[in-house]
Amino acid sequence: MDSENKIIIAIDGYASTGKSTLAKALAKELGYAYIDTGAMYRATTLFFLRHKIKLENDRAIQKALHAINIRFLPASEGNRLILNGEDVEDEIRKMYVSEMVSEVAAISAVRRTMVAQQREMGGEKGVVMDGRDIGTVVFRDAELKIFLTANSEVRTKRRLEELVAKGLEVKEDEVGANLTHRDHIDSTRADSPLKKAKDAIEIDNSYISQEEQLLLALNYAKTKILDFSRG
Ligand code: DC
């Protein structure tokens, strides 16, 4: 693929709609970088928990944000999130982090810091970025915006399978309740709530396979890349 004609692909959607699965596969097919912005909010949450940062203490939050360094280390099975030199990729997926992350992600100071870093990471284009506000805030001019949906039973099942595969002990109702809780906070917060961008393409993947979804998205991406290269 011509490096001159690289675009930005924004993938947004509710929790566990398979955003990272699609984003990772698209990035691989196109030779693009993949950035999981949810992992950045999770790493920030982990730091806050470890340092007992109170969410109503603005000064402590500012100080903590200055002390946080986040980077992604490419690995064969996907990127690993490195927080201040430590690989926390597995830790940030655990339930105790999931239970706090939406509250942390609703804090404007946290969002400002993360959004600035995300814009820097995608500045060169050739990136697939997934999250909740990528098409509406981080990259409003992204050439391709995809909004993923799936019904809640399917999402709970997928998330449960993912956690069990990692050897974590979790109950189905606990996982379902966490998804509902996060979706509510993520879509009702004052600062950049989750919503579909007007120009996003919606894909409901409840009953299509990962391969079908990838083909669909890849077709949209190739069309956009062609349009972009023609100016
Ligand atoms: O994608 P995820 O489930 O790992 O994201 C974790 C949380 O981070 C999610 O509940 C909301 C928040 N988030 C956000 O507010 N904005 C983003 N761009 C990505 C995630």
Side-chain angles (χ1 to χ4, degrees):
M1 194 97 23
D2 188 346
S3 65
E4 294 282 296
N5 299 319
K6 290 193 168 179
I7 64 168
I8 292 179
I9 302 177
I11 302 183
D12 290 302
Y14 293 95
S16 288
T17 43
K19 297 182 296 294
S20 60
T21 304
L22 175 62
K24 228 182 279 180
L26 257 184
K28 194 170 170 209
E29 287 288 334
L30 296 169
Y32 279 19
Y34 161 56
I35 307 288
D36 171 1
T37 63
M40 298 171 71
Y41 289 97
R42 287 173 177 274
T44 304
T45 303
L46 180 65
F47 186 96
F48 281 16
L49 283 167
R50 284 179 172 175
H51 293 84
K52 301 190 169 40
I53 305 293
K54 296 240 163 39
L55 302 191
E56 50 290 336
N57 187 340
D58 294 346
R59 281 188 60 182
I61 288 173
Q62 279 301 345
K63 219 172 139 201
L65 288 170
H66 279 111
I68 292 175
N69 179 279
I70 289 172
R71 63 188 177 87
F72 289 100
L73 187 69
S76 54
E77 75 284 10
N79 290 345
R80 313 274 311 168
L81 192 137
I82 310 297
L83 170 65
N84 294 340
E86 178 191 351
D87 182 335
V88 293
E89 182 58 37
D90 298 329
E91 201 61 28
I92 59 172
R93 307 291 161 190
K94 294 186 177 167
M95 277 306 280
Y96 76 97
V97 175
S98 297
E99 274 159 12
M100 260 284 280
V101 66
S102 286
E103 278 83 356
V104 172
I107 300 169
S108 290
V110 170
R111 303 204 68 80
R112 271 197 301 277
T113 306
M114 296 299 128
V115 169
Q117 292 181 15
Q118 290 153 12
R119 286 186 177 145
E120 208 164 299
M121 289 172 181
E124 304 283 309
K125 298 202 183 241
V127 70
V128 185
M129 196 172 278
D130 81 44
R132 305 292 190 287
D133 61 341
I134 311 306
T136 53
V137 175
V138 183
F139 288 115
R140 282 194 197 94
D141 297 332
E143 287 79 12
L144 175 60
K145 299 180 186 179
I146 294 174
F147 192 83
L148 286 187
T149 62
N151 70 45
S152 57
E153 294 79 40
V154 168
R155 294 196 283 133
T156 303
K157 219 171 177 169
R158 284 183 190 153
R159 185 88 186 117
L160 187 70
E161 279 167 9
E162 210 175 282
L163 293 169
V164 169
K166 283 185 179 152
L168 299 170
E169 264 183 50
V170 279
K171 295 193 189 81
E172 187 164 346
D173 54 351
E174 211 183 326
V175 171
N178 175 254
L179 294 185
T180 311
H181 173 70
R182 284 201 288 138
D183 286 347
H184 177 70
I185 297 181
D186 296 343
S187 52
T188 57
R189 68 182 174 223
D191 191 340
S192 29
L194 164 66
K195 59 172 187 260
K196 183 181 157 207
K198 282 197 188 76
D199 50 349
I201 295 164
E202 184 167 331
I203 300 177
D204 181 336
N205 63 22
S206 304
Y207 304 110
I208 59 170
S209 68
Q210 287 180 12
E211 292 73 24
E212 286 170 314
Q213 172 174 250
L214 175 60
L215 278 180
L216 200 61
L218 210 47
N219 272 334
Y220 288 126
K222 286 182 175 163
T223 307
K224 292 285 183 186
I225 292 168
L226 208 60
D227 288 352
F228 184 64
S229 68
R230 286 177 178 149

